[in-house]
């Protein structure tokens, strides 16, 4: 008698299908498979004990478009993390262009100079933090200037941008009675300028409408008529953005 080797889904901690990563929830007595998109945009797969990897993969593939829609609704970055190593030649993006890393014998922090990122050798152990600091500092200056025409279109004289680590979100915004301000993830600075503009416009629109209602999208449309193309491009580009994970 032979028993076919059928791999059980619950032998895996995670299931990766294409560019989506699902945590596998502990098996529970249930009859259906379910995908849960968590608040932080992480994905969880809940399935009956006997489900095979093959069956779960087919299920996820069939639901893929739904998952992407949910992730877009959450303004989320998604997918298995992009990992970086702090060795000479590693690539890092800035404003949509990729630059190689060079390790330098001295210096005080990361520099982008003559087409390369330079990292002092004594900071290799904290390379991720040093890079994030660079994106944050350079990005803050760049974004504060970049947002002006968009804020003006919205009818705001000034909107302050703060660059932070926002986990799995590109940006966040909450209207106040006082001066307006939005937060942008430091990782956003890796994107091409047109996609960063879309993130800015999206967060600016949230200053008028908190939720993704038709009113919200009509504000986005008024500020940036080509936004749908950028929104789709952003969902695709997000999978290649480095969020600080190291190898
Ligand atoms: Zn939003």
């Amino acid at each position: 008698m032979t028993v076919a080797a059928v791999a059980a889904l619950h032998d895996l901690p995670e299931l990766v299908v294409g560019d989506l990563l699902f945590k596998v929830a502990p098996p529970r007595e249930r009859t259906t498979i379910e995908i849960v998109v968590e608040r932080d945009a992480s994905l969880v797969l809940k399935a009956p004990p006997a489900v095979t990897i093959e069956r779960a993969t087919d299920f996820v593939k069939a639901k893929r478009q739904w998952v992407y829609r949910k992730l877009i609704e959450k303004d989320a970055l998604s997918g298995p993390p992009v990992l970086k190593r702090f060795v000479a030649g590693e690539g890092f993006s800035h404003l949509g262009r990729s630059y190689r890393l060079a390790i330098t014998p001295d210096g005080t922090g990361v520099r982008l100079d003559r087409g390369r990122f330079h990292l002092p050798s004594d900071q290799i152990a904290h390379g991720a933090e040093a890079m994030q600091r660079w994106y944050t500092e350079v990005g803050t200056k760049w974004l504060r200037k970049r947002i002006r025409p968009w804020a003006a279109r919205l009818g705001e004289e000034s909107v302050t941008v703060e660059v932070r680590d926002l986990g799995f979100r590109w940006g966040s915004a909450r209207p106040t009675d006082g001066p307006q301000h939005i937060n942008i993830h430091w990782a956003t600075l890796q994107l091409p300028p047109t996609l960063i503009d879309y993130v800015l416009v999206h967060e600016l629109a949230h200053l008028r409408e908190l939720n993704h209602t038709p009113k919200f999208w009509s504000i986005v449309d008024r500020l940036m008529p080509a936004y749908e193309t950028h929104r789709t491009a952003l969902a695709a580009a997000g999978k290649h953005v480095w969020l600080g994970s190291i190898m």
Side-chain angles (χ1 to χ4, degrees):
M1 193 174 84
T2 54
V3 178
V6 179
L9 171 70
H10 290 97
D11 291 342
L12 302 175
E14 306 170 332
L15 177 71
V16 176
V17 178
D19 48 22
L20 297 172
L21 181 142
F22 299 83
K23 273 179 231 150
V24 179
R28 243 188 283 160
E29 286 309 324
R30 53 185 300 144
T31 53
T32 55
I33 306 180
E34 186 193 354
I35 294 168
V36 180
V37 183
E38 300 281 18
R39 281 179 66 93
D40 67 356
S42 60
L43 304 169
V44 179
L45 199 58
K46 297 182 173 178
V51 162
T52 62
I53 292 172
E54 195 189 0
R55 162 107 179 75
T57 303
D58 287 346
F59 178 85
V60 166
K61 279 184 183 160
K63 289 278 183 178
R64 220 161 170 177
Q65 291 310 317
W66 176 87
V67 174
Y68 286 137
R69 258 202 325 276
K70 286 283 165 197
L71 290 172
I72 289 171
E73 281 169 20
K74 286 182 187 284
D75 305 339
L77 300 122
S78 67
V82 172
L83 304 174
K84 296 285 185 191
R85 250 190 297 205
F86 286 89
V87 294
E90 178 67 284
F92 288 90
S93 292
H94 179 234
L95 304 182
R97 288 172 168 230
S98 182
Y99 300 94
R100 299 270 165 221
L101 184 70
I103 308 295
T104 52
D106 43 33
T108 52
V110 172
R111 280 183 304 121
L112 177 58
D113 187 22
R114 282 165 287 142
R116 281 177 189 271
F117 275 110
H118 299 263
L119 176 74
S121 56
D122 63 357
Q123 291 184 26
I124 289 175
H126 306 285
E129 290 84 350
M131 278 307 291
Q132 286 170 42
R133 247 191 329 270
W134 185 87
Y135 282 117
T136 304
E137 284 170 18
V138 171
T140 301
K141 275 188 217 147
W142 192 84
L143 287 168
R144 287 186 175 171
K145 207 167 153 196
R146 188 82 179 183
I147 199 172
R148 279 185 212 150
W150 298 111
R153 270 197 203 187
L154 187 71
E156 290 288 341
E157 218 172 284
S158 86
V159 175
T160 313
V161 185
E162 203 183 317
V163 180
R164 297 172 45 186
D165 194 312
L166 297 171
F168 288 93
R169 281 163 189 271
W170 293 112
S172 69
R174 192 162 284 273
T176 64
D177 292 333
Q180 302 298 339
H181 126 253
I182 65 171
N183 299 312
I184 299 291
H185 198 304
W186 61 264
T188 305
L189 274 302
Q190 294 165 54
L191 298 169
T194 47
L195 296 189
I196 302 178
D197 282 342
Y198 169 72
V199 175
L200 288 172
V201 163
H202 186 112
E203 297 310 327
L204 283 169
H206 276 312
L207 294 175
R208 295 286 184 267
E209 172 66 35
L210 267 186
N211 299 306
H212 295 149
T213 59
K215 185 188 164 199
F216 171 83
W217 292 114
S218 79
I219 298 166
V220 174
D221 185 52
R222 182 166 61 78
L223 297 174
M224 181 184 256
Y227 83 90
E228 283 192 62
T229 318
H230 299 321
R231 183 170 66 166
T232 312
L234 179 64
K239 303 185 190 343
H240 308 292
V241 162
W242 177 61
L243 295 178
S245 299
I246 50 172
M247 238 178 246

